[in-house]
Amino acid sequence: MSLSLVTSAAADPAASYAEHCADCHGADRLGGSGPALIPETLRKIRGPNLADVILNGRVATQMPGFSEYLDQEGADAIVELLKTPLEVLPPWGEDQINASREMNPDYVAVDAPVWDADPMNITMVVETGDHHVSVLDGDTFEVLDRFQTPFAVHGGPKYDPTGRYLFIMSRDGWVQKYDIYALQIVGQVRAGLNSRNIAMSSDGKWLAVASYLPNMVTILNTEDLTVGKVQMVKGKDGTPSRVSAVYQVPPRESFVLALKDVPEIWEIFYGANPPKFGFAHDWRDEGLAHTDIPFPVRKITLPDYLDDFFFDQTYEYIMGASRDGAEGTGGQVVDLVIGHKIADLDLPGMPHLSSGTTWERNGTTVMATPHMRGGVVSVIDMSTWKTIKKIEAMGPGFFVRSHENSKYIWADVFFGPNRDLMHVIDKQSLEIVKTLQPAIGKTVAHVEFTKDGRYALVSVWEDDGEVLVYDAETLEIVKRLPMRKPSGKYNVWNKITFSEGTSH
């Protein structure tokens, strides 16, 4: 490589990007066969230094190294370009989404599973280290299949109500459909440019995709991944808003949206008869009186922003908080039926409510949530909305999990120097009964249980990681499964039956 080439790459990173990167990542940096390279999709991706990836590639991916053509200065210049927001976003609506749809021509549906295992005890393991998902038999822990996903899967994958189909979403908006029975990818579609998570309708017909870019929610037909509706998101006063997340509300046949930029939550109905009754529930001003409008929207004004939710088991009450809120701002409880805040929550320290868990204690339902700032696990009485205990942890956490057949909740210490610890907490005494340290110096996080709650699966969240299978009663490791940064695990039965111990 000549000095002139090096100088040119550093002096004109746009030209260098066009020469080395555009074929895979798109001339507009919005992705192609490779992921989008814009700040919104790159800023939270943990892993190797971006300049190092440009120079040396990524192991077990299609990303090659360019050290033969670029030096460190040239790679650094491209990184600075990637950190620059796009001046103008291209249109990304129904036409563009449908045009992006790619169905697998080799997919063949089957009448029954092509494997011998309990279909309800299948667990999907998302391996973000090399962008794959492993299909795990929950009884033998044999890997039945391992398939490639879009780059940087984000948010929990979702099953249809039968547990046959899996839907996965990436940060840059690709939604992939996978047939678990056939062990085949069905197809994929790009529902947004920078997306947050997905939610499945209770009838299995619709998948909602929440996006930051553009400010919209996309509703897909789960059968063929075509667009049912693209709903742009603006508050009542016309302020555009990113959609932080979307959640399903099965009893109401609706999706609920968390909005990042306006103090509102939205409810979008997919059922045939959206509710329109009683003075307190008269939403005609929201357009719900018109039954011919597909996916009508109800907008609920709140006193503060909410972008992280937890629903009670009846799905009438939403516990919410803002992740950008100042220390000590707490959260609020919203009655979804009447559309008003009914209580405040004592939840300082950036709670991660969407990963909370519930169980019965002393005749009432309680809920536990970790905090991403401050080393506590808060336990809340859901009949009074009062915090009954703040369990001191060894650092901030990200996930808590349990199972109705287990007497423990498991809480990781995801952030800080004690990230290799996992607290096991007794549900009744609310005391830590054991602190596990299965992989010294490595991040230990995210627990999922088998269908019967007998085993707890724990991630060693590293590129050369593992899934550790614990006996949930003795708290001893019974099996180790090597995995590439297993960020999350999702059991079919626990998810489609809305187990009280897992996130929904």
Side-chain angles (χ1 to χ4, degrees), residues 48-88:
N49 177 276
L50 287 177
D52 182 66
V53 172
I54 292 170
L55 293 173
N56 301 310
R58 296 193 75 163
V59 177
T61 74
Q62 297 180 29
M63 174 66 189
F66 291 88
S67 58
E68 183 178 349
Y69 310 102
L70 296 167
D71 67 355
Q72 185 68 50
E73 187 179 5
D76 289 341
I78 292 177
V79 170
E80 289 305 309
L81 171 68
L82 304 185
K83 292 180 179 179
T84 305
L86 298 178
E87 292 184 7
V88 179

Side-chain angles (χ1 to χ4, degrees), residues 63-126:
M63 174 66 189
F66 291 88
S67 58
E68 183 178 349
Y69 310 102
L70 296 167
D71 67 355
Q72 185 68 50
E73 187 179 5
D76 289 341
I78 292 177
V79 170
E80 289 305 309
L81 171 68
L82 304 185
K83 292 180 179 179
T84 305
L86 298 178
E87 292 184 7
V88 179
L89 280 177
W92 199 258
E94 181 174 349
D95 291 343
Q96 291 79 12
I97 295 169
N98 281 331
S100 73
R101 194 172 65 104
E102 303 169 355
M103 305 307 287
N104 179 7
D106 299 322
Y107 167 68
V108 178
V110 296
D111 295 327
V114 298
W115 32 264
D116 294 322
D118 179 357
M120 293 292 102
N121 202 23
I122 296 297
T123 295
M124 295 291 179
V125 183
V126 176

